[in-house]
């Protein structure tokens, strides 16, 4: 598979219109256009997970999320840290996408995780929680140094993430995601 045809889905764990996490993903998308198409999937319309809703037709927004993940070659998640964990909206979306268990669109899907926080730890505890959740979904979390972005509020200007050393660090991890996608592609 040519890397120019890779389709990636970016999911921000924040619904805020001026989300730092969305800004990070948008900045990354603008920097990797020569390698892949990174489209952001908003979680605003995803309802709270309720298995009763699975017995009939899935909510349209959930069906769209699962289809986007199925069609993507890989995922990039960027989450804030709320109360030592990932955001509820992102966890909820992963819960929806993880169905049916052991055979969901997340199974064997390469995933790169990033977290951010206005605090000094950059969301490291949310990162651990996301890794645990994705392990249960049988996703292939990219093995690389953790991308945790501390003091994120100071690194956003005019809606763009501007911290060049961190962007370079993210781009190195992005290369690891590309390698993982190629490995999965070769195995299939």
């Amino acid at each position: 598979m040519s890397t120019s045809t890779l389709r990636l889905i970016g999911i921000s764990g924040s619904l805020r219109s001026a989300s730092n996490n969305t800004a990070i993903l948008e900045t990354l998308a603008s920097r990797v256009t020569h390698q892949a198409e990174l489209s952001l999937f908003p979680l605003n319309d995803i309802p709270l997970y309720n298995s009763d809703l699975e017995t009939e037709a899935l909510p349209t927004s959930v069906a769209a999320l699962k289809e986007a993940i199925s069609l993507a070659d890989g995922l990039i998640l960027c989450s804030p840290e709320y109360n030592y964990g990932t955001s509820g909206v992102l966890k909820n979306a992963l819960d929806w996408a993880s169905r049916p268990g052991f055979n969901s669109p997340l199974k064997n899907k390469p995933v790169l995780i990033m977290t951010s926080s206005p605090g000094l730890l950059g969301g490291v505890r949310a990162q651990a929680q996301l890794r645990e959740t994705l392990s249960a979904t049988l996703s292939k979390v990219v093995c690389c140094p953790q991308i945790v972005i501390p003091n994120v509020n100071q690194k956003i200007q005019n809606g763009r993430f501007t911290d060049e050393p961190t962007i370079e660090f993210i781009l190195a991890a992005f290369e690891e995601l590309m390698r993982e996608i190629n490995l999965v592609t070769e195995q299939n």
Side-chain angles (χ1 to χ4, degrees):
M1 171 179 283
S2 167
T3 55
S4 64
T5 62
L6 292 180
R7 290 173 302 198
L8 304 174
I9 297 296
I11 301 177
S12 171
S14 174
L15 301 179
R16 208 165 51 88
S17 60
S19 165
N20 297 326
N21 297 280
T22 302
I24 292 165
L25 287 167
E26 288 172 344
T27 299
L28 178 60
S30 72
R31 296 288 289 266
V32 300
T33 56
H34 62 286
Q35 291 177 280
E37 177 188 336
L38 174 55
S39 302
L40 274 57
F41 191 98
L43 300 179
N44 303 60
D45 297 328
I46 304 293
L48 291 175
Y49 178 73
N50 178 345
S51 63
D52 290 344
L53 298 177
E54 292 178 307
T55 59
E56 299 174 17
L58 282 176
T60 305
S61 59
V62 172
L65 171 67
K66 291 175 77 164
E67 181 178 8
I69 292 171
S70 291
L71 295 174
D73 296 301
L75 302 176
I76 301 176
L77 308 180
C78 192
S79 179
E81 181 174 286
Y82 297 150
N83 300 314
Y84 296 176
T86 191
S87 70
V89 69
L90 182 55
K91 175 67 167 75
N92 181 61
L94 292 173
D95 289 343
W96 272 113
S98 70
R99 306 295 188 251
F102 306 107
N103 197 26
S104 77
L106 291 170
K107 183 178 181 181
N108 295 320
K109 190 68 63 173
V111 181
L112 179 63
I113 301 170
M114 301 185 290
T115 55
S116 72
S117 171
L120 296 176
L121 297 180
V124 70
R125 293 167 292 214
Q127 179 116 180
Q129 191 179 72
L130 278 171
R131 287 181 184 281
E132 188 75 19
T133 296
L134 290 165
S135 173
T137 69
L138 306 177
S139 298
K140 294 197 174 285
V141 177
V142 173
C143 185
C144 64
Q146 291 185 354
I147 304 169
V148 293
I149 306 167
N151 304 310
V152 69
N153 293 350
Q154 299 168 17
K155 300 172 181 178
I156 305 288
Q157 294 178 359
N158 300 319
R160 302 300 286 175
F161 183 65
T162 59
D163 184 42
E164 196 59 35
T166 302
I167 292 170
E168 292 300 321
F169 188 73
I170 293 170
L171 290 171
F174 180 83
E175 291 300 324
E176 293 302 318
L177 174 64
M178 295 296 96
R179 279 191 266 288
E180 186 65 37
I181 289 170
N182 287 330
L183 284 172
V184 168
T185 303
E186 290 170 8
Q187 293 171 357
N188 293 332

